[in-house]
Amino acid sequence: MKKKVAIVGAGMIGLCSAYYLRKKGHDVIVIDDHDGYGGASVGNAGFLCPSHVVPLASPGIITQGIKWMLNEKSPFYIKPRLNKELISWGLKFKKAATAEKVKIAAPFLHQITTASQKLAEQLLQDEKINAGYNKNGLLMLCQSEKELHHEKEAADIARGFGQSAEVLTPEEVAKLNPGLDLNICGAVYFPNDTMITPHIFLREFQKVLKANGVEFMFNTSINSFEREKGEITGLVTSSTTIKADDYLIAAGSATSPLLRLLGLRLPMVGGKGYSFTVNNPPAIPQVPSILSDGKVSMSPMMDGLRFSGTMEINDLNSAINLKRVEGIVNTATSFLPQFKKSHFTDIKPWAGFRPCSPDGLPYVGKSNKFSNLTIAAGHAMLGITLGPVTGDIVAKIINEEPNDMDLSLLAVDRYN
C-alpha cells in the first residue's frame, strides 16, 4: 500500500531512508532544521568501515577516557557538570562496556557494516554519483608499540569475521603512500575498507532524490506533534502542519529532544567531533588513515585533505573549542613531518555531533508507543558506514516487509 512518509532529518540516515522508501513507491517528504548540510553527516571522515566491528562501548575505554578527560586537547573530553541524563547515560555505558556485551554486538556489527558497504557501492553505481569513492582500504597508523599491539588485537577480531587485515612495517606503509613521510613504528591495514567525500555525496544524493520525486523542506523546525489514539497525526513545523501516514525521526543528536515532545525517552548524548580540510597539503596520502595514538582520521577528499577527530560531550553546544582543534593539529604534525603548523593557519574548523547510544549500537525500529512512528538514530561514528543499510531496514519496516536480520539489538525501547 502506497503511503506518505514524513522524515525528520536530512543527514545520511534520513536521505538513505528516503531513497529506499521512494524505490518502494512511497511518497516522501524530508524536513530539516538546517539547509541540508548542517549535521554530522557533512564534516566527518567519510569512512565505510566493515572492519570496525567493536562498538564504542568496549572494555578499557572508560579507564582510558578518564585519563583523557584530564587534558582538554585529548581525543576524549567531557565538560564536567552535574546532569541527570548524562549520569544515567554514563552508567548505562559502563554496564555495556564489557567483553560479554562486545561478544554479542560484534558479529551483528560486522553483518550490518558489510551489508551497508555493498548497498553503498550499488547506490553509487546505480545513481552514477561521483563522490570520490576510494577503494584503497584503511590504515591504522601507530607511533607507539603499545598502540600497535592494540590495533593488532582489533585486526585479530576483524579476521575472525573474515575481514582482511595486515600488519605492516613503516617501509610497507610507504609503498602504499608514495611521497608521504610518516613518523610511525608500524600499522594495521584493512584493504576492504572504503570512503567517500561526504559533503559532495550528500549534495549529489539530494539531487538524485529530488529528481525521483522526494520533497524537501529545509530551515524548518519541528515545534510539536499532533497525536491521537496511539498514532501521530501531524508534524507542527515552524511554517505549516505536515500530515503523513508514517513518520520517521532520523535527526541524529537532535532525535532525543524531539522524542521528548512525545513523552519518549531515548538515552543518547551528542559526542562533538571536529574536522577541517587542508586545501593545498604538502603531500596527499593514497590510503585513508587513522592516526591511532591521537585518534585522528586523515581522509583524502575530492577537495583537499581532511583531518577529523575528538569526542567532546558538552550539552550540544556547537561553539568551536580551539583547544580541541589544536589537539588534532598537534597529532597531525607529530605523525606527518612534511606538515608544519603554517599549513594549518587558514583552516576553517567545523564541529558536529555524533549521536551516541550507551551501548554503541544505533536505535532502529518502531516505537512501542506510536504505531506509525519509526526511529533511526544513535549511529555514533558509523553514520556514513551504516546509512545505506539503515535506510534499507527502515524502508522494510515501514513497508511492513520481513527482514532477514535479527534486529533485536537495535530495539528502540531496549532501555525502557
Side-chain angles (χ1 to χ4, degrees):
M1 183 181 74
K2 185 176 183 179
K3 298 179 180 179
K4 180 176 181 180
V5 184
I7 297 174
V8 181
M12 186 69 168
I13 307 302
L15 295 188
C16 287
S17 298
Y19 178 74
Y20 290 107
L21 281 163
R22 190 69 188 128
K23 283 177 75 74
K24 293 182 184 296
H26 300 297
D27 292 331
V28 180
I29 181 169
V30 178
I31 306 101
D32 195 271
D33 60 357
H34 291 87
D35 60 1
Y37 302 100
S41 294
V42 176
N44 59 79
F47 296 157
L48 293 148
C49 296
S51 66
H52 282 53
V53 297
V54 177
L56 181 63
S58 57
I61 190 67
I62 293 174
T63 302
Q64 181 63 67
I66 291 172
K67 293 177 182 177
W68 277 335
M69 278 177 60
L70 302 176
N71 178 5
E72 205 170 345
K73 297 179 185 178
S74 69
F76 179 75
Y77 179 70
I78 296 180
K79 185 177 180 180
R81 67 191 190 281
L82 286 175
N83 180 288
K84 182 179 178 182
E85 289 188 0
L86 177 61
I87 293 170
S88 174
W89 182 92
L91 292 172
K92 291 179 176 69
F93 182 89
K94 183 176 184 293
K95 190 175 181 180
T98 66
E100 292 77 15
K101 296 283 188 181
V102 170
K103 191 175 181 180
I104 294 170
F108 180 69
L109 266 177
H110 178 256
Q111 181 186 18
I112 59 174
T113 53
T114 302
S116 201
Q117 187 187 51
K118 291 178 181 176
L119 287 169
E121 290 187 341
Q122 191 67 49
L123 191 161
L124 290 166
Q125 180 180 319
D126 289 350
E127 305 303 337
K128 298 178 174 58
I129 295 176
N130 180 13
Y133 192 50
N134 184 317
K135 300 178 71 173
N136 292 341
L138 179 70
L139 280 164
M140 309 298 295
L141 302 172
C142 304
Q143 287 187 324
S144 68
E145 291 293 341
K146 180 181 178 182
E147 190 65 26
L148 184 59
H149 175 74
H150 172 74
E151 293 300 341
K152 286 178 180 177
E153 291 180 335
D156 288 339
I157 295 173
R159 284 194 201 98
F161 294 105
Q163 286 292 325
S164 296
E166 305 167 23
V167 180
L168 303 183
T169 65
E171 293 74 23
E172 289 170 325
V173 173
K175 291 179 181 178
L176 291 174
N177 282 313
L180 182 71
D181 295 338
L182 287 167
N183 175 26
I184 59 173
C185 71
V188 170
Y189 179 46
F190 296 102
N192 294 337
D193 286 356
T194 56
M195 69 157 284
I196 56 173
T197 299
H199 54 288
I200 291 177
F201 172 78
L202 287 178
R203 182 190 69 198
E204 298 304 311
F205 197 21
Q206 280 186 23
K207 292 178 183 177
V208 167
L209 293 172
K210 289 175 182 176
N212 288 332
V214 174
E215 184 181 351
F216 285 87
M217 288 182 66
F218 292 131
N219 301 306
T220 303
S221 57
I222 306 299
N223 294 337
S224 62
F225 294 84
E226 294 179 345
R227 42 190 163 150
E228 184 179 340
K229 297 178 181 178
E231 282 194 349
I232 295 175
T233 56
L235 290 178
V236 181
T237 76
S238 51
S239 59
T240 187
T241 298
I242 298 168
K243 300 284 187 177
D245 301 302
D246 271 78
Y247 300 83
L248 169 67
I249 308 297
S253 56
T255 297
S256 285
L258 282 171
L259 290 176
R260 282 198 288 271
L261 297 175
L262 288 165
L264 300 176
R265 297 286 174 179
L266 196 74
M268 197 159 66
V269 298
K272 184 158 70 169
Y274 293 80
S275 74
F276 52 80
T277 301
V278 180
N279 299 116
N280 296 295
I284 298 179
Q286 298 297 308
V287 183
S289 305
I290 294 178
L291 314 180
S292 292
D293 303 68
K295 301 295 180 284
V296 169
S297 300
M298 180 171 66
S299 309
M301 301 278 176
M302 295 175 75
D303 52 2
L305 183 60
R306 178 175 293 177
F307 294 91
S308 52
T310 85
M311 178 75 80
E312 178 184 343
I313 311 297
N314 74 343
D315 270 343
L316 300 185
N317 182 341
S318 60
I320 300 290
N321 183 339
L322 292 178
K323 289 184 179 179
R324 312 294 294 157
V325 177
E326 186 181 347
I328 297 174
V329 172
N330 290 344
T331 295
T333 54
S334 173
F335 272 81
L336 304 162
Q338 291 156 297
F339 287 71
K340 311 302 179 185
K341 291 289 178 73
S342 60
H343 290 113
F344 300 93
T345 54
D346 295 328
I347 59 173
K348 297 177 181 177
W350 171 95
F353 294 94
R354 310 177 189 93
C356 301
S357 69
D359 58 10
L361 294 170
Y363 301 100
V364 185
K366 282 281 189 181
S367 161
N368 59 350
K369 296 286 181 64
F370 298 94
S371 60
N372 62 342
L373 173 64
T374 304
I375 299 164
H379 293 73
M381 292 171 284
L382 294 175
I384 295 294
T385 297
L386 294 177
V389 76
T390 301
D392 183 61
I393 291 170
V394 164
K396 288 175 179 173
I397 289 171
I398 292 176
N399 209 45
E400 299 177 16
E401 294 177 35
N403 197 297
D404 57 2
M405 297 181 184
D406 177 6
L407 303 178
S408 58
L409 289 176
L410 306 182
V412 300
D413 58 351
R414 61 185 184 266
Y415 288 108
N416 293 343

